Amino acid sequence: MDFGKKLLGQKAFDQLMKMTFYGQFVAGEDHKAIRPLIQRNLAYGVGSVLDYSVEEDISQEEAEQTTMHSSASGRQRGSKGNGCNEEFGGSHTYFYADESKCDQHMETFIKCIQASGGSSRDGFSAIKMTALGRPQFLLQFSELLVKWRRFFNFLASKQGQDGVDISEQKLDLRQLQEFLNRLGEKDHYSVFAAGREEASGTIDLLDWNSFLDDRANLSEMLVVPNVKLGELEPLLKDFSPEEEGQMKRILQRMDVLAKHAKENGVRLMVDAEQTYLQPAISRLTLEMQRVYNKDKPVIFNTYQCYLKEAYDNITLDVEVSRREGWHFAAKLVRGAYMHQERQRALEFGYEDPINPDYESTNTMYHRCLDFVLDEIALNQNANVMVATHNENTVKHTLMRMNELALLPRENKVFFGQLLGMCDQISFPLGQAGFPVYKYVPYGPVNEVMPYLTRRAQENRGFMKGVQKERELLWKELKRRIASRELLYRPLY
């Protein structure tokens, strides 16, 4: 690419990219240029998930800091690696410059939402949490959440609940009181037990996580055991008022985007990002779902099924939505960055968070998918986008929808593929009346090319699988030539 720019000049190089690489996977440079493609796809029953796919360059210092923070987070996760990585759409992370830059990113997302609302009915718009706040804050908040969950796991293990499904684990309050008494922390028991002693005498993980909602007493409540010292120490000792302000500003920007989405009839899809940032992203997304998914699904969270904890994460979030009465909305993906995740786990000595092989990831994906489909059939209060290029998974979904009598027109189950790939899946689904969407990146050629280059590098293994697609295209081309229908245009 660098050689091509020098040889051809920027203008000729951009034109070459539009005719080839860029033209295949990107819809256009701005919201006006992408409209014809969106309308053409819509004519065949295929909607759009718009993503302004500009990837910012970062300095060497920022890159080193990010690596350092991710490594530190990995060490702290130990054997309980939590979080997610990238998914079928969008593989870039925004790096923090200042608050004004975050506001600019928010304005870009607003334009994307407006373009989605103006171009198609019931569209989606993809957003990235790292564009709306400081990644360093997301890192710190993620570490806090992971430690808090590990404390619950530690207490559950002390009460003999190893091997019990996370959603079924419950802490007996009497045993919890005895443990805290031994550490000389009687005061904390009254906080944990408030309102629960007479009710059930137990606390589950959702009750445990709900303590995070009480921000007034957060610094007093959030403690974890220091095994060496035999005492509890505060989790928030390094969580300053500035970090609290960061959280509020991210939620405020998310709030603005959610309001624009609701006004324009658009759903927001929050992309998953690096493992060491994901717990915070998922938590903040859930905060917004509580507000905006009361009447209908507006905010979708992303779950990566190549992670060992994917099923636990989904079942817990579905249970939260049941208890609080809002619409659960998820995008299910397999995930990318597998090799990077495993290398990091090996380097810093914690358990590999990724499933051992592709088949176990398929099993996890179908397990998560079946759980959500069952929830839709049972309560009609859940929604899922099956974001996959795997034909067997699509067939499995259609079979389960038929078994559960889930109709396409109910708009509870969506399908998603990348623009420029797997049209043999997307368009037949659209023409059969199923809600199917293309993930549509757009942006200026010179700014989107770094994003496309990374996609190509990260998906080398997947790109080997496009042989079937090429064979289908050749077959259709030969048919058109033989039948003198070279300019054939299918009708919808």
Side-chain angles (χ1 to χ4, degrees):
M1 283 174 55
D2 290 339
F3 176 73
K5 288 177 186 177
K6 292 175 183 176
L7 184 67
L8 300 173
Q10 188 67 52
K11 189 173 182 180
F13 176 79
D14 287 357
Q15 188 59 37
L16 178 63
M17 289 297 101
K18 287 181 181 180
M19 294 168 63
T20 54
F21 193 33
Y22 176 97
Q24 176 70 12
F25 299 109
V26 183
E29 297 201 74
D30 55 40
H31 65 279
K32 293 180 181 177
I34 67 177
R35 193 163 293 172
L37 182 142
I38 291 173
Q39 294 297 337
R40 185 170 69 249
N41 285 354
L42 199 59
Y44 296 104
V46 179
S48 298
V49 180
L50 296 192
D51 176 36
Y52 188 72
S53 298
V54 172
E55 182 174 68
E56 297 188 354
D57 290 330
I58 61 170
S59 68
Q60 182 64 29
E61 182 181 355
E62 286 173 314
E64 289 172 357
Q65 286 178 346
T66 303
T67 303
M68 177 183 68
H69 294 321
S70 66
S71 302
S73 180
R75 284 194 297 270
Q76 287 165 343
R77 279 198 300 272
S79 63
K80 297 292 180 182
N82 196 349
C84 306
N85 230 297
E86 287 311 321
E87 71 289 347
F88 87 105
S91 62
H92 58 286
T93 294
Y94 289 81
F95 288 87
Y96 180 80
D98 53 39
E99 291 299 305
S100 63
K101 192 68 173 175
C102 292
D103 289 333
Q104 289 175 25
H105 290 150
M106 182 184 70
E107 292 298 325
T108 299
F109 287 144
I110 290 173
K111 290 177 183 176
C112 191
I113 290 167
Q114 292 169 342
S116 184
S119 302
S120 64
R121 178 175 50 85
D122 294 330
F124 284 89
S125 186
I127 63 172
K128 293 177 174 60
M129 200 74 78
T130 48
L132 302 176
R134 186 169 169 241
Q136 175 62 18
F137 157 71
L138 294 174
L139 173 67
Q140 288 177 282
F141 191 32
S142 291
E143 290 175 354
L144 181 152
L145 293 169
V146 170
K147 287 179 180 178
W148 186 237
R149 181 161 167 173
R150 286 175 63 194
F151 186 20
F152 179 88
N153 294 339
F154 170 79
L155 293 171
S157 177
K158 287 285 186 183
Q159 296 189 13
Q161 297 190 49
D162 287 331
V164 179
D165 283 347
I166 191 72
S167 58
E168 300 296 325
Q169 289 182 352
K170 290 179 170 54
L171 300 181
D172 181 272
L173 287 174
R174 289 185 180 179
Q175 294 184 49
L176 177 61
Q177 183 178 23
E178 291 172 5
F179 173 78
L180 294 173
N181 286 345
R182 287 198 299 271
L183 293 178
E185 299 287 348
K186 296 180 181 180
D187 294 341
H188 280 97
Y189 175 75
S190 60
V191 176
F192 291 139
R196 293 182 175 85
E197 283 181 301
E198 295 180 5
S200 65
T202 61
I203 295 177
D204 64 15
L205 184 57
L206 297 184
D207 296 324
W208 187 258
N209 287 339
S210 69
F211 295 134
L212 295 167
D213 299 330
D214 184 8
R215 296 219 173 96
N217 299 314
L218 206 58
S219 59
E220 297 175 11
M221 290 166 51
L222 292 190
V223 291
V224 291
N226 184 317
V227 178
K228 290 182 179 179
L229 298 178
E231 62 185 33
L232 298 179
E233 33 181 54
L235 260 179
L236 291 181
K237 58 185 177 184
D238 299 320
F239 207 72
S240 67
E242 172 58 24
E243 268 76 42
E244 182 71 21
Q246 285 280 346
M247 186 190 301
K248 289 178 181 176
R249 286 192 288 273
I250 290 176
L251 289 173
Q252 285 167 355
R253 292 184 183 108
M254 277 287 290
D255 189 59
V256 170
L257 294 176
K259 285 177 180 176
H260 276 276
K262 210 164 188 177
E263 289 169 5
N264 286 273
V266 174
R267 277 78 50 99
L268 288 185
M269 193 167 280
V270 181
D271 283 342
E273 302 193 45
Q274 280 86 347
T275 304
Y276 46 90
L277 303 176
Q278 191 56 39
I281 292 170
S282 292
R283 175 72 193 192
L284 295 173
T285 302
L286 188 140
E287 295 274 355
M288 299 308 299
Q289 287 178 317
R290 283 172 165 158
V291 176
Y292 286 97
N293 286 13
K294 288 180 179 177
D295 301 321
K296 61 180 182 179
V298 175
I299 312 288
F300 280 65
N301 198 7
T302 300
Y303 298 86
Q304 305 217 69
C305 297
Y306 74 165
L307 292 170
K308 295 174 182 176
E309 292 189 344
Y311 184 77
D312 287 345
N313 293 333
I314 281 187
T315 54
L316 289 169
D317 287 354
V318 167
E319 182 59 30
V320 172
S321 70
R322 285 176 188 159
R323 293 187 187 184
E324 299 178 358
W326 46 268
H327 290 259
F328 176 80
K331 177 176 73 173
L332 295 186
V333 299
R334 280 174 173 77
Y337 285 2
M338 179 178 69
H339 300 297
Q340 180 183 342
E341 287 293 343
R342 286 187 165 153
Q343 185 178 354
R344 183 184 292 129
L346 185 64
E347 185 177 353
F348 295 101
Y350 61 90
E351 183 185 340
D352 182 0
I354 308 297
N355 289 315
D357 52 44
Y358 186 72
E359 283 309 311
S360 56
T361 292
N362 280 342
T363 302
M364 176 66 79
Y365 192 103
H366 289 183
R367 186 185 183 198
C368 293
L369 176 59
D370 286 340
F371 178 81
V372 179
L373 291 175
D374 289 339
E375 179 67 16
I376 295 171
L378 187 65
N379 296 320
Q380 287 289 307
N381 220 28
N383 307 265
V384 64
M385 173 169 278
V386 185
T388 182
H389 297 121
N390 187 303
E391 289 187 23
N392 291 330
T393 296
V394 172
K395 290 175 182 176
H396 174 84
T397 306
L398 297 177
M399 180 190 71
R400 292 284 289 128
M401 288 178 70
N402 187 50
E403 289 174 356
L404 298 168
L406 299 176
L407 302 176
R409 64 173 178 268
E410 293 174 345
N411 277 349
K412 292 289 185 180
V413 182
F414 310 91
F415 296 87
Q417 289 84 40
L418 281 169
L419 179 70
M421 299 181 76
C422 294
D423 287 351
Q424 79 275 14
I425 294 177
S426 308
F427 285 89
L429 283 171
Q431 291 179 323
F434 290 89
V436 59
Y437 292 80
K438 284 292 192 183
Y439 195 98
V440 179
Y442 73 99
V445 177
N446 64 316
E447 295 184 43
V448 173
M449 288 311 292
Y451 157 76
L452 282 178
T453 306
R454 285 188 57 183
R455 289 301 304 172
Q457 290 171 339
E458 291 155 9
N459 289 281
R460 285 176 185 172
F462 173 77
M463 293 302 289
K464 294 175 184 175
V466 301
Q467 180 64 34
K468 180 179 179 181
E469 225 170 314
R470 288 201 297 269
E471 290 172 358
L472 290 170
L473 289 169
W474 273 116
K475 184 179 178 181
E476 175 62 11
L477 186 59
K478 290 173 184 175
R479 185 198 69 80
R480 292 189 188 187
I481 293 171
S483 59
R484 298 180 182 179
E485 294 182 336
L486 196 58
L487 301 179
Y488 170 74
R489 290 289 182 271
L491 296 175
Y492 177 65

